Amino acid sequence: MKGTENSAEHGAGNGPRDDGRLIGRSVPRREDPRLLTGRGRFVDDIALPGMLHAQFVRSTVAHGEITAIDLGAVRAVPGVLAAYTADDLHLGDITAELDRPRTEFVPTAMPVLARDRVRYVGEPIALVVAENAYAAEDGLEAARVRYAVHPPITGEAAALADGAPLLHAEADRNTLVDVELFATDGIDEVFATADHVVRIDAHTGRQNALPLETRGAVAHWDDREEQLVLQTCSQVPHQVRTVASRCLGLAERSVRVVVPDMGGGFGLKCVVGREEIAAAAAALRLRRPVKWIEDRKDALTASFLAREQHYDVRAAFDATGRILALDADVVCDMGAYSCYPFTAGIEPLMAAAEMPGVYKVPAYRVRGRAIATNKAPSAPYRGVSRPQYVMVVERLFERAARELDLDPLEVRRRNLITDFPYTGVNGITYDPGSYRESLDLCERTLRAEGWYERARAARAEGRYLGIGYSCFSERTGYGTTAFAQRKMTVVPGYDLSEVRMDPGGAVTVTTGTMSHGQSHETTMAQIVADELGLELDQVKLRQGDTDRVAYGWGTFASRSIAVGGSAVRLAAGRLGEKLRALAAARWDVPVEDTVLGPGKVLRRDDPDTALGYPQLAEIAHLRADLLPKGTEPGLTATASFDVFNDGTFSNATHGTVVELDPDTGRVEILRYVCVEDCGVAINPQVVDGQCRGGIAQGIAGALFERVTYDAQGEPSATSFMDYKVPTAHEIPDVTIHHLETPCAFTETGAKGAGEGGTIGAPAAVLNAVNDALRPTGVELDNTPITPETVHRALHREHYQESTR
């Protein structure tokens, strides 16, 4: 029910619900016993007879022509069996497309191995295959590559400068995407006549998604099945199959992609990489299994990155703090190539389409650009631009409130969407949410704990204590309609599921989504068990195998439960209908006179008469002679689910309290409160884990993590000594309160919950830091917020906020 606080019912570790249903209960994760006792099976755990090991010769320059590659000494290294260049493997390129005119989008072909030109340090040039991992590394040392070096493009100004070197000849001014959207009629007049106009010019740092398990693959040719089997840690196995088949020149049925346990992805693994395709090509050629495991240095420097963005945004307000217009210019540094299938448009198009967020913005204009630079390419990373644009929009409201001498929370309340459904100026229709309620509860929580009084007392003592908030929505449940609006030529959205009962009455369910830590083995089983009245251990999930799962788009954009879970529930429901029809035939009564009970079908008019699922399953499989005429043997049901509107919107408010150390510039987070609404929480403990993990990554982006480059395009953060990742010491305890506004069009009432924590954290932390800095008169707009920046701000000495 909208606005109902469910923090007690939905807290982690709560007991059974009174109604006996599994949905809404924090049942223990079924994955944990296997994973926590070391019995998980990850890519690097796979060992096949005769397996070889591969590593990549990578570019040592950011931009240049390859004038010579000499692998003769490589092949002479003891233990090395083969070494391949692009000319040896003859692989097709990986090319992502948008159905947009070339004035808006320029496709760039990404070769599996660089052929004539390199565009970033770490770009794969050649593949070395050896008897063991050590010999493969020795082989790399023997490779000799010569370059004609070009000046690197390492940032926005250099990329867009007149006469700048071009990474791709077809991309003028190094621009891959340039789209102008909405442009409300009369918007310039609105700004000209507004009582007040505020502006934010903000940069956000380039980040690495940093899953615990780096990328990897094991490939082998199966002669019996006439298939290339590629085992890899991917969020999108069917997309990997498609690209592998095209690059290798095989039919899709000749490629099988299998995903074992996966140690995190966060979007980094929802695009198709080059290395797994090259490893598969080597296995195909050598007819021996080939394993590639990415080392941490390559993961930090040569893997997909994200989030380097620049926002120049104006907002017009009236004298009471109501927003009148929003005008934005967004530039996203996407690195050297477009990722497949989302393209370089993934970040600018997300920001442009959804920036108004939870606020009633009457007029809007936005330009979104993706530029190419000599850096590793970008991929989606948890939240995809929303942590950045939410931070910018929340800064606009904070600045407007300060300049208008208004309470910043009251300014937000005057502008929040409260009447649903609401169609915004961006053409998106928002389904019901608890935007105002989440803000109110978050503020009440911090006030009740006395943080406002503590902040006043601290300031009186000369300490720097600040309180910050962020209000936001997370668009989830993107269906094909929503993805088609981006004009992708590969249009994700729907999901498929099959639910099958074996002769003993146990159930196996497939999903096209792919767990990389989200507990699908538990939550999907909860949905099926509830629908059929089964115990949880009677349901087994199958995922991540392109031969077992008919088709699937994988896991990203918080779609797994909203879309995948809906397909699972529909398929389970259809299996239930088959069970009822079979029982009705045995009793010679109409199907309407039957009802599903716990593990059995009951007669509605005589509940003491029942047929258990094992009895019905035995008839369906082993006694086909007893089936009604025209009834097919077996018990299998399939279903698909799609969303034919703009999706559903989870929402949240984050509130945090920070203290700044004037001696070191360190930002300490004293308190963090999250009030979130993801509709019906299938497993509240899992949702809490998603929130806490996301908040940790959001704090990392706000305060710590940044991938940097020197003037030659050489990455500076090649280890955890330089790439500053927060530890448990820096991440605070997080209190989570749940509100519940069920989605009206998903099968379970669930909305997505995967990205919200990350989306809200940077804005809340930045606003809290600025609140603490209020006595100095300095405001910060960029992230990450470094101790050096805070120290300069506190001491007001030669202050200039760094944007790089």
Side-chain angles (χ1 to χ4, degrees), residues 420-442:
F420 300 96
Y422 176 86
T423 300
V425 67
N426 52 358
I428 294 173
T429 299
Y430 299 73
D431 65 332
S434 54
Y435 302 172
R436 172 69 180 263
E437 294 87 343
S438 67
L439 174 58
D440 291 347
L441 178 54
C442 193

Side-chain angles (χ1 to χ4, degrees), residues 566-584:
S566 291
V568 163
R569 185 174 185 182
L570 284 171
R574 290 177 183 176
L575 181 62
E577 291 170 5
K578 289 190 173 186
L579 288 164
R580 290 176 60 205
L582 185 53

Side-chain angles (χ1 to χ4, degrees), residues 279-334:
L284 195 62
R285 176 174 288 235
L286 295 168
R287 287 300 197 266
R288 287 180 65 180
V290 174
K291 174 190 281 190
W292 163 70
I293 299 295
E294 182 179 55
D295 66 27
R296 187 57 70 179
K297 179 182 177 182
D298 287 345
L300 284 168
T301 60
S303 189
F304 293 98
L305 303 172
R307 300 226 198 284
E308 188 171 358
Q309 302 182 2
H310 175 204
Y311 288 77
D312 185 359
V313 186
R314 298 183 301 154
F317 288 85
D318 68 16
T320 69
R322 284 187 169 83
I323 191 168
L324 304 174
L326 187 65
D327 188 12
D329 187 3
V330 183
V331 180
C332 301
D333 183 338
M334 300 302 288

Side-chain angles (χ1 to χ4, degrees), residues 388-667:
Q388 288 68 50
Y389 75 66
V390 166
M391 184 186 85
V392 170
V393 171
E394 293 295 287
R395 290 293 306 128
L396 287 168
F397 277 93
E398 289 281 329
R399 184 159 294 171
R402 178 177 61 81
E403 295 182 9
L404 291 168
D405 195 25
L406 297 171
D407 182 317
L409 296 188
E410 287 307 312
V411 172
R412 287 178 173 87
R413 288 186 177 99
R414 290 171 189 175
N415 290 282
L416 283 170
I417 300 167
T418 54
D419 297 321
F420 300 96
Y422 176 86
T423 300
V425 67
N426 52 358
I428 294 173
T429 299
Y430 299 73
D431 65 332
S434 54
Y435 302 172
R436 172 69 180 263
E437 294 87 343
S438 67
L439 174 58
D440 291 347
L441 178 54
C442 193
E443 182 190 17
R444 285 201 310 271
T445 301
L446 290 179
R447 286 193 181 278
E449 293 176 357
W451 286 105
Y452 280 80
E453 290 79 3
R454 292 187 215 183
R456 284 193 292 269
R459 288 170 185 159
E461 297 168 3
R463 295 162 52 207
Y464 298 92
L465 209 72
I467 300 172
Y469 293 88
S470 65
C471 300
F472 63 94
S473 62
E474 176 193 356
R475 188 182 182 188
T476 73
Y478 292 82
T480 53
T481 300
F483 277 114
Q485 290 170 358
R486 296 184 183 176
K487 301 185 179 179
M488 296 174 64
T489 57
V490 175
V491 185
Y494 65 85
D495 204 65
L496 304 174
S497 178
E498 177 187 84
V499 177
R500 182 176 65 251
M501 182 173 284
D502 65 27
V507 165
T508 300
V509 57
T510 67
T511 178
T513 66
M514 183 64 234
S515 178
H516 46 100
Q518 298 95 328
S519 313
H520 291 179
E521 291 177 44
T522 303
T523 53
M524 295 294 187
Q526 286 179 260
I527 293 171
V528 174
D530 257 6
E531 188 69 18
L532 294 174
L534 293 169
E535 297 295 327
L536 202 61
D537 61 7
Q538 292 177 286
V539 181
K540 178 63 179 177
L541 178 70
R542 301 293 183 193
Q543 58 184 332
D545 186 336
T546 57
D547 270 12
R548 285 189 172 186
V549 179
Y551 200 81
W553 289 104
T555 292
F556 52 87
S558 300
R559 69 185 301 274
S560 293
I561 288 298
V563 178
S566 291
V568 163
R569 185 174 185 182
L570 284 171
R574 290 177 183 176
L575 181 62
E577 291 170 5
K578 289 190 173 186
L579 288 164
R580 290 176 60 205
L582 185 53
R586 297 298 298 157
W587 292 323
D588 194 23
V589 299
V591 173
E592 293 76 16
D593 289 347
T594 66
V595 62
L596 295 183
K600 55 192 172 184
V601 179
L602 309 172
R603 282 191 59 161
R604 193 182 297 274
D605 60 351
D606 182 10
D608 291 331
T609 300
L611 282 170
Y613 290 167
Q615 295 171 273
L616 294 169
E618 183 174 353
I619 293 170
H621 290 90
L622 308 179
R623 292 300 308 274
D625 58 304
L626 300 179
L627 293 175
K629 187 177 180 179
T631 300
E632 294 183 354
L635 283 171
T636 300
T638 62
S640 66
F641 182 80
D642 203 348
V643 176
F644 297 102
N645 54 33
D646 292 326
T648 184
F649 289 80
S650 301
N651 67 271
T653 296
H654 290 194
T656 188
V657 184
V658 306
E659 184 166 7
L660 313 181
D661 187 325
D663 295 326
T664 65
R666 178 173 178 263
V667 178

